[in-house]
Amino acid sequence: MDFKELVNQAREAAENALKQAEAKFNEVKASLDKDGDGVPDQLEGVMNQAKQAAEQARARFEEFKASLDKDGDGIPDQLKNLGEQARQAAEQAKARAEELARAVQERLGKKS
């Protein structure tokens, strides 16, 4: 057997190995993507699950948001109530301060 024949056999063996590897690759690829859309089926399943989870989370968020703002004015009802209470407390404090100021003025006026 001469060198040229040995090189040809090595080349043929390499070509056969490459063909077998390509065939195996195509077989594995086909088994992973049975619907033939170019995306492995398991990955599609995971992506669909993630999409459903995101949609459920979005729906729950909207429900939660709606429960906080029953009158639909864009301001959470409890925050609005708290703001109203703070406004009333401020008005009462102002009225009390004015009342105390008048009392002080009256006492100062009586002492003079």
Side-chain angles (χ1 to χ4, degrees):
M1 184 183 281
D2 69 344
F3 182 71
K4 190 173 188 178
E5 196 174 311
L6 188 61
V7 170
N8 284 336
Q9 286 178 352
R11 183 182 51 79
E12 287 177 14
E15 287 175 355
N16 286 337
L18 179 60
K19 287 177 185 177
Q20 289 175 352
E22 286 177 348
K24 187 65 174 171
F25 173 77
N26 290 332
E27 180 183 319
V28 169
K29 183 178 172 185
S31 72
L32 293 176
D33 185 21
K34 293 186 180 181
D35 59 5
D37 65 354
V39 179
D41 298 336
Q42 287 184 340
L43 182 58
E44 281 181 314
V46 170
M47 288 173 28
N48 287 336
Q49 288 175 353
K51 183 179 177 182
Q52 288 174 351
E55 288 171 358
Q56 289 173 350
R58 189 175 300 115
R60 284 189 207 131
F61 174 75
E62 291 301 324
E63 289 173 13
F64 178 69
K65 189 170 108 175
S67 74
L68 293 177
D69 184 21
K70 294 189 190 282
D71 60 6
D73 65 353
I75 301 170
D77 299 337
Q78 289 182 346
L79 182 59
K80 192 182 338 180
N81 291 339
L82 184 61
E84 181 62 26
Q85 290 173 356
R87 186 188 63 73
Q88 289 174 356
E91 288 176 359
Q92 290 173 355
K94 181 180 174 186
R96 182 71 178 140
E98 289 172 352
E99 183 181 317
L100 289 173
R102 278 193 300 277
V104 167
Q105 288 291 338
E106 288 176 8
R107 286 189 183 174
L108 288 177
K110 288 183 182 179
K111 288 187 177 182
S112 302

